[in-house]
Amino acid sequence: MREGTALVVGATGITGGNLASYLVASGWTVYGLSRRATEQDSVIPIAADLLDKPATAKALSGLPITHVFYCTWVRRDNEKANVEANSAMMRNLFDGLDSNNVEHAALVTGTKQYLGSFEAYGSGRIDTPFRESEPRVPGDNFYYALEDVLLEAAERGGFTWNVHRPHTVIGYARGNAMNMGTTLAAYASICKENSQPFVFPGSQTQWNALTDMTDALVLARQMEWAATTPGAANQAFNTVNGDVFRWRRMWREIGEYFGLEVPDCPETPQPLEHKMSDAESIWREIANKYDLVEPDINQLVSWWHTDADLGREQECVNDATKSRDFGFNHFRETRGAFFDLFDRLRAERIIP
């Protein structure tokens, strides 16, 4: 029996791609929207640039969508521009859908809800764990803008909503660079090939403090659960694996997986964006040597994004109690999530 007809917006990303596959396996009819239609098993592709209002309306015309899962964003040069562009994308989406069919819409944001935008990162509340009831951090933040557009659309269309706030999503996604797991796998592979130590690129604070992460399938499960559980409607939920760890231990375990020497954390950060400035040519040589499927490392990694996570100067732990109180109890060991991803990257010849 089909659960519903879902529109996954951002279906080629780490969040949307894993969600689309999960919903298909759970019996949903799934449409996957992205700028360029991409084939994915049993997902019906739709190509549209959400910044193009007429093209979006044309692409969505007549689709019997009952559930919307919004898993995308666009980056601009400053947060004011981020707010403008991302708000326009979501408005264009809901304006193009037949709201008479829509029963529920879900939005994925993240921990910048508590930490502040890229421009004001770390300006928010520093006491952990972060709870959904925390007030918004002053200043522009496109997460807040998206929430506001979602709630306006839900009130206008008479459908329910959820907001999901994961922290550093890890999972498999081809062609999606903003993925710490794949970025670290590529970095470790370069270190291995060049007989270099696996140096932690971030801050002493992140090396020593507690933190958490979100497996993409934990997020997918929570999104489906919230969308189909009446008592969970119209709520925001943090989404994390359920365990906490310190990078000083996790980094060594990742290093051991790749057979690398792992020194202590340097006194000052050594960002990957600078450290890996010549990675493009190195990776092409590695890809040629080991017959890898992707010779362009820029299609695999996002150094700056991983630097932002590992370079923070404050502890980052998210409280998942609210989600559990509402009945969602799925969890995942973060170390296992990393190793499973690395195994798959090797099996599919993305890393040597």
Side-chain angles (χ1 to χ4, degrees):
M1 179 177 180
R2 291 286 177 179
E3 295 288 348
T5 302
L7 175 66
V8 177
V9 184
T12 58
I14 181 173
T15 297
N18 282 279
L19 173 64
S21 296
Y22 177 78
L23 291 177
V24 166
S26 298
W28 293 68
T29 299
V30 180
Y31 289 85
L33 188 151
S34 57
R35 277 189 291 272
R36 291 175 296 276
T38 302
E39 294 296 327
Q40 188 174 347
D41 288 348
S42 300
V43 176
I44 305 165
I46 302 173
D49 181 349
L50 291 177
L51 288 169
D52 187 333
K53 186 180 179 72
T56 299
K58 182 178 180 181
L60 298 175
S61 178
L63 297 184
I65 304 300
T66 61
H67 292 71
V68 177
F69 298 94
Y70 196 92
C71 311
T72 192
W73 69 289
V74 63
R75 189 185 184 197
R76 292 293 186 253
D77 290 337
N78 57 66
E79 196 62 18
K80 183 176 181 180
N82 281 339
V83 168
E84 182 178 349
N86 285 279
S87 297
M89 288 167 61
M90 182 175 273
R91 286 195 181 95
N92 291 342
L93 174 81
F94 284 114
D95 287 347
L97 283 170
D98 182 354
S99 61
N100 292 325
N101 289 325
V102 177
E103 301 172 10
H104 183 85
L107 164 66
V108 177
T109 59
T111 308
K112 286 190 289 297
Q113 173 80 22
Y114 313 113
L115 292 171
S117 68
F118 287 117
E119 292 180 356
Y121 204 60
S123 63
R125 185 179 179 88
I126 61 173
D127 291 339
T128 56
F130 302 133
R131 297 191 178 98
E132 294 90 341
S133 57
E134 301 286 354
R136 289 181 171 183
V137 180
D140 289 329
N141 190 323
F142 79 88
Y143 283 1
Y144 305 157
L146 286 174
E147 280 194 5
D148 292 343
V149 174
L150 172 66
L151 269 61
E152 290 168 7
E155 183 175 3
R156 186 172 63 250
F159 53 81
T160 57
W161 57 269
N162 284 114
V163 176
H164 301 265
R165 299 171 182 167
H167 176 212
T168 311
V169 179
I170 178 174
Y172 179 82
R174 281 290 302 274
N176 181 261
M178 292 183 61
N179 182 339
M180 179 190 282
T182 305
T183 298
L184 294 185
Y187 171 46
S189 299
I190 290 172
C191 291
K192 180 77 170 180
E193 186 67 17
N194 293 336
S195 300
Q196 296 173 339
F198 191 48
V199 178
F200 185 72
S203 68
Q204 288 266 346
T205 300
Q206 284 305 298
W207 181 254
N208 291 307
L210 287 171
T211 192
D212 50 26
M213 292 183 72
T214 306
D215 185 272
L217 289 178
V218 171
L219 176 57
R221 287 173 181 268
Q222 192 198 59
M223 293 181 76
E224 184 195 35
W225 162 81
T228 56
T229 303
N234 304 331
Q235 299 289 332
F237 293 111
N238 289 339
T239 318
V240 285
N241 287 340
D243 62 350
V244 293
F245 64 91
R246 302 182 200 275
W247 275 111
R248 68 189 186 205
R249 182 173 181 177
M250 184 71 76
W251 196 259
R252 290 192 172 94
E253 290 173 335
I254 293 173
E256 289 172 2
Y257 176 97
F258 286 96
L260 295 168
E261 173 194 350
V262 181
D264 288 335
C265 179
E267 291 187 7
T268 58
Q270 299 185 13
L272 292 173
E273 191 166 24
H274 174 72
K275 191 181 182 73
M276 294 286 103
S277 59
D278 58 349
E280 193 169 345
S281 59
I282 295 172
W283 190 259
R284 288 192 182 278
E285 293 176 4
I286 292 174
N288 183 63
K289 180 178 178 179
Y290 295 100
D291 191 28
L292 303 184
V293 297
E294 180 52 75
D296 183 2
I297 198 169
N298 296 316
Q299 299 300 313
L300 300 176
V301 307
S302 179
W303 305 123
W304 73 268
H305 189 258
T306 295
D307 285 338
D309 270 351
L310 299 182
R312 285 186 297 231
E313 293 292 345
Q314 68 179 72
E315 182 178 84
C316 190
V317 176
N318 295 268
D319 189 340
T321 302
K322 180 181 177 182
S323 182
R324 295 189 185 102
D325 282 345
F326 273 76
F328 182 76
N329 296 305
H330 192 76
F331 65 91
R332 181 78 162 94
E333 184 200 32
T334 301
R335 179 181 58 176
F338 269 121
F339 293 171
D340 285 351
L341 173 62
F342 300 156
D343 287 346
R344 183 169 180 182
L345 293 175
R346 275 183 167 166
E348 300 198 11
R349 300 197 341 271
I350 294 172
I351 63 173

